[in-house]
Amino acid sequence: MRITPLTELTERSRNLQQQLREQQLDAAILVQNSDLFYFTGSIQRGLYYLPAEGEPIYFVFRDQGRARMESGLCHVVPIDRLASLVGELGRFGVSLPGRAGMEFDVLPVIEAQRYQKLLPATEFVDIAPQVRTVRAIKSGYELEIMKDCALLADRVYEEVKNLLAVGKTDHEVMAELFGFALKQGHQGLIRMRRFNAEMFFGHIFSGVDSAVPAHLDAPLGGLGTTPAVGQGAGHKKIAAHEPIIVDFIIAYDGYLVDQTRTFSIGPLTDKLQQAYADMLTIQKFMVDLARPGVSWSDLYRQCYQRACELGYEEHFMGAGSSRVRFIGHGIGVEVDEYPFIAEGFDDQVLLPGMTFAFEPKAVFPGLGAVGVENTWRVAEEGVKRLTYSCENLWQLPQP
Amino acid sequence: MRITPLTELTERSRNLQQQLREQQLDAAILVQNSDLFYFTGSIQRGLYYLPAEGEPIYFVFRDQGRARMESGLCHVVPIDRLASLVGELGRFGVSLPGRAGMEFDVLPVIEAQRYQKLLPATEFVDIAPQVRTVRAIKSGYELEIMKDCALLADRVYEEVKNLLAVGKTDHEVMAELFGFALKQGHQGLIRMRRFNAEMFFGHIFSGVDSAVPAHLDAPLGGLGTTPAVGQGAGHKKIAAHEPIIVDFIIAYDGYLVDQTRTFSIGPLTDKLQQAYADMLTIQKFMVDLARPGVSWSDLYRQCYQRACELGYEEHFMGAGSSRVRFIGHGIGVEVDEYPFIAEGFDDQVLLPGMTFAFEPKAVFPGLGAVGVENTWRVAEEGVKRLTYSCENLWQLPQP
């Protein structure tokens, strides 16, 4: 169990303070679990108050003793209810903010109304893009944790070979594999930031079930076991010679990596083998292009164009009208961080320290899906792999 | 896999329309996954538009084909982007609402702003309490699913006996037990409504670790494996003669039940055995009191007073300052539904069809926790148990 060092927390607050000054904000008030963990080291219920100048204060409703233990911040302050905030800020000599930033992308309306009522003279604005910008750049400390996640991911993928069998259902394999991953140290919870976006552990699909689209903004959805979840492994039985795609998110010590590999029992058809090789080609193409300064959308367009040249226009990142318009996503504390390797981000560029998952996948309705995914970090000279499991098509012998 | 019947959906919409008229609202616009599932039968990305009079319309961004398959509603309408909503409503002859309700307790500020911008003349108000009021009353169809959950819960608790062993960690047992539950059909995802509230699968703690409080509004928290999660099973090894509390939420076909049992390897001390017996006494006390018309808070106060009379003032529902001020919570599609068996709800009463988990627990720092939890439904004549596993203290023989 890691406790985030104070040096890390200090640097993170400083980076956000720079954003506050650029946005002419007097303070940030952050309350969401992922942001609390990033900026305080703890998710005990409360709020992280960061003035544009000076020290951050972590006000904690519950559990206060535990927040003291988990957070390295100097000011971890018990507070009984939100109404006490004004008085507590006064006690610290902090004047009430004229303009304050909150996480409008995740903050429910009633929570925002409570803060507005408490600080009626304060103008509240959205600070989510700035928070996400700060969080996108990973420190050496964060990369070390993500390397531990990648180690765990490799153990999980080695185990897949022991679990796949003709006649077993996708859901059974998921249950066994997730049980294994938990036992190896997976933290269980996986966080997504986007409203209504949910992710249980990742996806395992065999054959046709890989091509079922879902509500989620993902190339593969899956039928799942109920419309209430509407994604994930279903009760389809695995057959020989069909692609089995395993897309597993490893969560450990608060961080995530995302990895996909394609398996089969008995060899795949030449067409699917070729498609898998072509997805590796697109990955290689990305590696040759990606470096600090390249725009997220330019990287997307060039890789998408490469996929079309290879003949996958109707099959890349989903089939037909179900295709999604991205090939990769930032990852760290949440699955859907900056950067997005997608259209619409021409003014955003890759920077050293960013980490993202890149997941070229080809979907063939009636047949299934093949693809590969790794988590990458942006270094000065280009991108480096964090996840490292063997990238061959894992064609297991047919018993 | 159940597909919600149209008769169910129709009744649910009618019940919400009655609430709309009482609140003098022209429409409800619901977008959150749990509410979408309840009112449309699907969580495909979109919005459920319910006018105060007339038929509901499920507008779907993604995946449209799948929404048609999953939702029994007559009007499942593909929509390319939110801006098209006004035109689509016109096509259906629906006039734009003067006052519309949305789920302010879960809707992020930026989403609310998008709707306000789209419908600038509409006054938006919070309709979450009305939605929760409708959802609190379960139909026979819903109770049947919850009975299936209770069956699955019983299989899971039988398995606990096979998994507990001295020297194993809580986290290892959790991994094996959750893997087992998934394989038995558990849907994986568990939904909580409250902002920042998260639940992975439930909790397993042995001995002292049960008494670690957490950010969550729950009597037990647990150390977990990282401050990033801040709850749940940790790496403590199970010893003989200490209480092992298993609080497991079963999720199946979109519905949940919540059940807790207390185990040990070798007998517990007399004090802990007595405490467990006293928690059963409090449960019995609740059963004798609870019936339609009883207020949620009155039920809470009387049970709490009974716990104090039995000597648990400092140990009931947490220890010392970490005690929580509730003993039960509604459950259905989410873990934290109406009713709350807690202070602050004197004007709310139990009604036939409500379902709630009741979880008297006693926490002793340095020793551990004991307790019992079942999921109950309110019938005309009182409450009936949905979960039914043996309520004995499960003291396993020491090998």
Side-chain angles (χ1 to χ4, degrees), chain A residues 158-178:
Chain A
E158 285 295 327
E159 180 69 6
V160 174
K161 291 187 289 192
N162 303 325
L163 299 180
L164 293 180
V166 170
K168 255 181 157 172
T169 70
D170 296 349
H171 186 81
E172 283 171 324
V173 174
M174 179 279 286
E176 291 172 357
L177 191 62
F178 199 27

Side-chain angles (χ1 to χ4, degrees), chain A residues 45 176 183 198 215, chain B residues 45 176 183 191 198 215:
Chain A
R45 198 156 70 239
E176 291 172 357
K183 207 157 174 180
E198 299 167 323
H215 60 100
Chain B
R45 197 155 70 239
E176 290 171 359
K183 206 156 174 180
R191 295 198 175 98
E198 300 167 321
H215 60 101

